[in-house]
Amino acid sequence: MAIKSAGGGKYRKMSMSPKEYQAFAKTREPSRSIFGNCIRAFIIGGAICVLGQAIQQLFIHLAHMKPEDASNPTVAVLIIISVILTSIGVYDKIAQFAGAGSAVPVTGFANSMCSAALEHRSEGLVLGVGGNMFKLAGSVIVYGTVAAFFVGIAHLIFGTGGAH
């Protein structure tokens, strides 16, 4: 690594250990307010959920669906909105502002899948888009399935699930 010296236009070689570099980088990193980040995440994450609830209410009242029947198309619409906003570069700006608030709902997962697809589209549909998009999805599906298995076992052991 070389940095420009203050006096002249010459560069001097700079050697740092990884630990020293981390300390140097930490001094240059802008400070972030944890409280402010939490508030922004809460507001944006909540707004996404309110949007989802509004979409579900539209399906219930306009399409005369039962609430449990309106859930699937609601999730599909949220995913489509997220993919469109990711494709035009808006969702990333929302995510920069909101932080974890945009990553928690289903829209965050759709954003990460779409981002991977857009990033690797030049490598082809199968090896580029499909291969890289499902690297993320595979881990989420595996951990979701394993978590569901353990929750099912807990319900079986403690008798909290199933029909009454």
Side-chain angles (χ1 to χ4, degrees), residues 81-92 107 110-112 114-115 118:
I81 291 170
S82 175
V83 168
I84 291 169
L85 291 177
T86 300
S87 298
I88 61 175
V90 172
Y91 199 92
D92 292 334
T107 56
N111 167 260
S112 60
C114 182
S115 294
L118 291 172

Side-chain angles (χ1 to χ4, degrees), residues 114-123 128:
C114 182
S115 294
L118 291 172
E119 184 177 339
H120 297 284
R121 70 178 179 249
S122 64
E123 298 170 27

Side-chain angles (χ1 to χ4, degrees), residues 45-145:
I48 292 170
C49 293
V50 167
L51 174 65
Q53 189 64 43
I55 293 168
Q56 184 177 23
Q57 291 301 315
L58 285 173
F59 280 117
I60 291 169
H61 294 294
L62 297 179
H64 307 291
M65 294 179 158
K66 292 186 270 183
E68 55 273 4
D69 294 336
S71 298
N72 289 337
T74 299
V75 171
V77 169
L78 285 172
I79 290 170
I80 290 168
I81 291 170
S82 175
V83 168
I84 291 169
L85 291 177
T86 300
S87 298
I88 61 175
V90 172
Y91 199 92
D92 292 334
K93 291 178 180 157
I94 294 170
Q96 282 179 337
F97 176 77
S102 66
V104 174
V106 69
T107 56
F109 183 68
N111 167 260
S112 60
M113 294 281 293
C114 182
S115 294
L118 291 172
E119 184 177 339
H120 297 284
R121 70 178 179 249
S122 64
E123 298 170 27
L125 288 177
V126 175
L127 296 177
V129 173
N132 289 293
M133 184 171 66
F134 289 108
K135 283 180 185 177
L136 170 72
S139 61
V140 171
I141 291 168
V142 167
Y143 285 109
T145 304

